[in-house]
């Protein structure tokens, strides 16, 4: 069979479930990282995973991406169990940005972004490579870094190069683990604005964040985790209440309304 006749993924209708965890549990070293967690990610939404350190956010993202197998429960991606997909088939359907993506090998920034197109080699979408790479480089604001070697970059510049690699893949599902952690405020807004735009175009975006106010501004739904369990999962205004957030983070907070947008702003109570 001609390699270019490989069956390629089709766009998922808005609102349809693209992947789901059902009663999943993960244990490591005698500790439960996730306990009976169920969650769905839908096309056309930004779903943010929030919670304290060690709540299980990154583990849950790794389960839904297929990088980690659950000890109990199941994960479905599309129309089949996630373990029934080959790695290359998964890579054409979801792009993953890991929290510990160090990119320490001496590749240039342009070479790193090119890696995002690897799943499409010898397919009918290979012709999009140059356009996708250029677009990703521009949107991540790294055009001036193209010939730089990755080890010479700052932490924020590396993060933007890694994000551009993910964007270049042009998959229908983005899974981003703390994509804003090393970025200044301008690039934080830009990255989540791009994630928002992808969702509005029909893609599904799963993002792990620590900043509750960024999640409130850009997410359609928030899943709030604590001790390996989902405490609440709903629209931001229903999840980010002073009662729920104070309980989950064990820190007293207040939620006030932004004077212009009306969006809730979470602030610690200070004396």
């Amino acid at each position: 069979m001609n390699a270019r006749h490989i069956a390629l993924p089709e766009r998922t209708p808005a609102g349809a479930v693209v992947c789901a965890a059902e009663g999943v549990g993960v244990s490591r070293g005698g500790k439960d990282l996730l306990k009976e967690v169920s969650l769905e990610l839908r096309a056309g939404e930004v779903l943010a995973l929030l919670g304290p350190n060690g709540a299980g956010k990154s583990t849950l993202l790794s389960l839904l991406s297929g990088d980690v197998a659950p000890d109990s429960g199941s994960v479905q991606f599309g129309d089949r169990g996630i373990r029934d997909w080959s790695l290359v088939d998964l890579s054409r359907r979801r792009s993953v940005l890991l929290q510990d993506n160090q990119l320490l090998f001496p590749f240039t920034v342009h070479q790193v972004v090119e890696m995002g197109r690897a799943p499409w080699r010898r397919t009918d979408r290979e012709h999009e490579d140059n356009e996708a790479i250029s677009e990703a480089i521009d949107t991540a604001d790294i055009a001036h870094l193209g010939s730089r070697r990755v080890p010479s970059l700052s932490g924020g510049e590396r993060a933007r190069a890694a994000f551009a690699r993910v964007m270049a893949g042009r998959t229908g599902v983005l899974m981003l683990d703390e994509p804003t952690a090393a970025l200044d405020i301008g690039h934080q807004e830009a990255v989540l604005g791009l994630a928002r735009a992808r969702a509005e175009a029909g893609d599904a975006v799963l993002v792990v964040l620590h900043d509750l106010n960024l999640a409130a501004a850009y997410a359609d739904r928030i899943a709030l985790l604590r001790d390996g369990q989902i405490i609440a999962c709903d629209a931001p205004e229903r999840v980010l209440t002073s009662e729920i957030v104070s309980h989950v983070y064990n820190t007293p907070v207040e939620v006030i309304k932004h004077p212009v947008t009306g969006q809730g702003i979470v602030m610690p109570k200070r004396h």
Side-chain angles (χ1 to χ4, degrees):
M1 182 177 68
N2 190 316
R4 291 186 178 274
H5 292 159
I6 296 168
L8 298 178
E10 298 179 356
R11 180 167 291 278
T12 304
V17 175
V18 296
C19 60
E22 182 65 35
V24 295
V26 176
S27 299
R28 295 290 184 272
K31 179 183 178 181
D32 290 329
L33 303 183
L34 291 174
K35 295 175 281 189
E36 291 293 319
V37 169
S38 297
L39 185 69
E40 294 179 343
L41 175 64
R42 303 166 189 151
E45 75 167 350
V46 176
L47 172 57
L49 304 182
L50 301 181
N53 293 334
K57 305 180 296 296
S58 294
T59 303
L60 181 53
L61 182 144
S62 294
L63 280 179
L64 290 169
S65 71
D67 291 334
V68 170
D71 297 316
S72 59
S74 62
V75 178
Q76 188 87 1
F77 196 102
D79 59 356
R80 66 186 81 167
I82 199 163
R83 290 295 167 185
D84 294 332
W85 293 98
S86 70
L87 182 58
V88 68
D89 280 334
L90 268 182
S91 67
R92 291 176 183 144
R93 287 162 173 80
R94 58 59 173 152
S95 297
V96 184
L97 178 64
L98 298 177
Q99 180 182 347
D100 59 354
N101 195 332
Q102 297 296 316
L103 296 176
L104 294 179
F105 293 102
F107 297 111
T108 66
V109 167
H110 195 278
Q111 287 172 331
V112 167
V113 181
E114 284 180 330
M115 293 175 190
R117 298 300 302 169
W120 303 111
R121 287 175 187 157
R122 301 200 309 167
T123 75
D124 289 335
R125 295 186 190 171
E126 190 175 33
H127 71 278
E128 299 178 12
D129 285 1
N130 291 336
E131 179 187 73
I133 291 165
S134 295
E135 180 182 83
I137 286 173
D138 288 342
T139 56
D141 190 25
I142 56 171
H144 61 295
L145 302 173
S147 61
R148 289 269 302 274
R149 301 284 175 179
V150 169
S152 72
L153 303 179
S154 70
E157 289 168 339
R158 291 180 192 176
R160 281 149 54 201
F163 178 72
R165 174 185 56 78
V166 168
M167 294 294 286
R170 289 186 172 180
T171 60
V173 182
L174 290 178
M175 297 183 172
L176 312 172
D177 195 350
E178 296 194 36
T180 61
L183 303 183
D184 58 57
I185 187 171
H187 287 109
Q188 287 180 355
E189 292 289 324
V191 163
L192 289 179
L194 289 167
R196 175 77 260 158
R198 288 286 294 266
E200 290 173 358
D203 295 336
V205 181
L206 181 69
V207 56
V208 173
L209 292 172
H210 273 295
D211 191 317
L212 279 65
N213 294 317
L214 279 176
Y218 288 100
D220 296 291
R221 290 191 299 143
I222 290 173
L224 192 55
L225 288 85
R226 176 179 174 176
D227 296 330
Q229 295 180 302
I230 293 179
I231 304 301
C233 184
D234 210 327
E237 63 271 17
R238 296 189 181 95
V239 173
L240 298 181
T241 67
S242 57
E243 294 79 12
I244 294 174
V245 175
S246 296
H247 166 67
V248 168
Y249 287 88
N250 196 30
T251 300
V253 304
E254 54 187 342
V255 180
I256 62 174
K257 286 191 175 182
H258 190 283
V260 176
T261 65
Q263 172 195 312
I265 300 174
V266 181
M267 301 180 63
K269 288 185 178 180
R270 299 187 178 107
H271 300 292

